[in-house]
Amino acid sequence: MSSQVIQGVFEQEVVLKEVKSSMRSLKDFIFLPWQIYKQTPQWSPTLISKEFRRLSKRTNHFFSHSDAAFFVAYRQGKT
């Protein structure tokens, strides 16, 4: 898995990782909106299983003709 460390205006370093084959990083990517919007009563999340199918190269026909890259940023081990 490739990762990049970003320093500068941040007090702690931010590690940017590409979501590839790691189930942990894919889960972090999918569950991030739950962390961001957990205090927003208007937010209506999609089904988790639907998100996994949407990002799967086996079940989403988009990936038969295209490719995509997904990234997750971590600070002190948290997304």
Side-chain angles (χ1 to χ4, degrees):
M1 179 186 322
S2 63
S3 64
Q4 181 178 356
V5 176
I6 301 171
Q7 293 179 327
V9 298
F10 303 108
E11 291 180 19
Q12 301 92 12
E13 67 180 21
V14 174
V15 178
L16 186 63
K17 293 184 180 180
E18 184 174 359
V19 176
K20 286 198 172 195
S21 59
S22 167
M23 184 57 79
R24 174 180 156 74
S25 62
L26 181 59
K27 284 181 179 180
D28 287 347
F29 182 80
I30 289 175
F31 284 100
L32 183 59
W34 273 261
Q35 294 177 13
I36 295 172
Y37 299 113
K38 66 183 173 186
Q39 300 297 326
T40 308
Q42 297 85 0
W43 183 61
S44 177
T46 60
L47 294 173
I48 294 169
S49 59
K50 186 175 182 179
E51 290 298 311
F52 276 104
R53 283 194 308 271
R54 187 172 63 92
L55 298 176
S56 171
K57 292 184 179 184
R58 290 185 299 129
T59 57
N60 189 337
H61 295 291
F62 170 81
F63 294 111
S64 65
H65 58 79
S66 298
D67 202 8
F70 308 104
F71 295 88
V72 179
Y74 296 92
R75 183 181 302 155
Q76 293 183 331
K78 297 180 182 179
T79 53

